[in-house]
Amino acid sequence: EPEVTQTPSHQVTQMGQEVILRCVPISNHLYFYWYRQILGQKVEFLVSFYNNEISEKSEIFDDQFSVERPDGSNFTLKIRSTKLEDSAMYFCASGTPRASGPYEQYFGPGTRLTVT
Amino acid sequence: SQQGEEDPQALSIQEGENATMNCSYKTSINNLQWYRQNSGRGLVHLILIRSNEREKHSGRLRVTLDTSKKSSSLLITASRAADTASYFCATRIQGAQKLVFGQGTRLTINP
């Protein structure tokens, strides 16, 4: 069964450094998402991406964040200058519209980002 | 209160018993999805119920949706130790792409 994959599984970085989190969505999906989950808290939406552009973003997704689909398979989240409060589990998700209506979002295993 | 809230926050039952978790939300939705998360791991999609559906089954899972009360429940029948996990409801509101997650219910199945 196809699944969303993410690399790395764990990233440790120093405050102020740039990080790129990588995701390979399910191959025939058209919508791509990033969410994050700070330890002990709920999963929060960051951004959705469709047709090579951001379709929706949250207030968390400020100028420090960017997303890109550099080729036909990868979907990346870049944090330009990490802060301590960016430490979280970052989940990539993908989905594709159905003729019948609503569709599921399938999540990857996550990348645990630790900012020191 | 927020869009998605589950109760109870924690539930501990014996193996073989049924587990019921509830979710309430505030705004009109397009659909509601339930996910499972094992400790420190990713989110596994369990079931999606549309706003015009009232009940849906998948194996040992039964989900109900009451849009008049803005609430949903997830029932796991004949629970197993492997069902131990956190369970989240996530709503997709009309016109939006994002899912809004609740705080989750931490379910422990005791052998």
Side-chain angles (χ1 to χ4, degrees):
Chain A
E1 190 170 327
E3 54 186 25
V4 177
T5 59
Q6 291 184 243
T7 54
S9 56
H10 191 188
Q11 173 93 45
V12 181
T13 190
Q14 289 192 325
M15 197 166 52
Q17 296 296 304
E18 174 184 287
V19 293
I20 297 176
L21 309 183
R22 301 178 193 280
C23 168
V24 179
I26 295 173
S27 63
N28 63 342
H29 284 185
L30 300 178
Y31 286 89
F32 314 114
Y33 309 85
W34 285 101
Y35 292 79
R36 78 173 186 190
Q37 184 181 33
I38 295 171
L39 186 65
Q41 298 187 22
K42 61 172 68 176
V43 176
E44 301 174 290
F45 169 77
L46 293 178
V47 65
S48 63
F49 192 85
Y50 172 71
N51 202 24
N52 285 318
E53 60 183 24
I54 290 172
S55 51
E56 192 175 351
K57 62 181 182 178
S58 72
E59 55 274 13
I60 302 169
F61 194 87
D62 61 21
D63 292 346
Q64 292 298 311
F65 292 88
S66 62
V67 289
E68 197 176 34
R69 187 153 162 84
D71 52 42
S73 59
N74 291 284
F75 180 51
T76 61
L77 174 69
K78 181 192 290 186
I79 310 174
R80 279 184 244 288
S81 177
T82 51
K83 306 170 190 165
L84 293 176
E85 55 265 36
D86 293 327
S87 295
M89 181 77 95
Y90 287 80
F91 294 107
C92 174
S94 70
T96 205
R98 298 169 183 268
S100 55
Y103 59 90
E104 299 85 351
Q105 291 185 22
Y106 292 97
F107 283 71
T111 292
R112 181 169 299 284
L113 176 65
T114 303
V115 182
T116 62
Chain B
S1 104
Q2 300 176 49
Q3 170 68 351
E5 292 189 356
E6 284 100 333
D7 81 89
Q9 289 188 340
L11 179 63
S12 180
I13 60 173
Q14 295 299 119
E15 195 166 20
E17 293 180 340
N18 295 341
T20 300
M21 290 158 274
N22 302 296
C23 167
S24 61
Y25 58 91
K26 290 291 190 184
T27 59
S28 294
I29 61 171
N30 175 285
N31 65 78
L32 186 146
Q33 303 181 38
W34 283 90
Y35 288 84
R36 184 185 75 227
Q37 183 181 37
N38 289 77
S39 182
R41 309 289 292 277
L43 294 156
V44 175
H45 187 271
L46 295 176
I47 200 163
L48 178 154
I49 187 165
R50 303 179 195 183
S51 60
N52 61 354
E53 296 177 313
R54 292 297 164 257
E55 189 171 311
K56 204 162 183 182
H57 297 253
S58 176
R60 292 184 297 114
L61 306 181
R62 173 177 167 251
V63 169
T64 62
L65 179 65
D66 186 336
T67 52
S68 66
K69 294 181 180 177
K70 293 187 168 58
S71 67
S72 174
S73 67
L74 170 68
L75 168 68
I76 303 175
T77 60
S79 62
R80 304 168 183 169
D83 295 328
T84 294
S86 290
Y87 291 82
F88 297 88
C89 70
T91 53
R92 185 170 161 220
I93 64 174
Q94 300 284 1
Q97 288 298 321
K98 67 181 181 186
L99 290 176
V100 179
F101 282 81
Q103 290 278 13
T105 293
R106 193 168 59 255
L107 176 65
T108 303
I109 309 298
N110 302 303

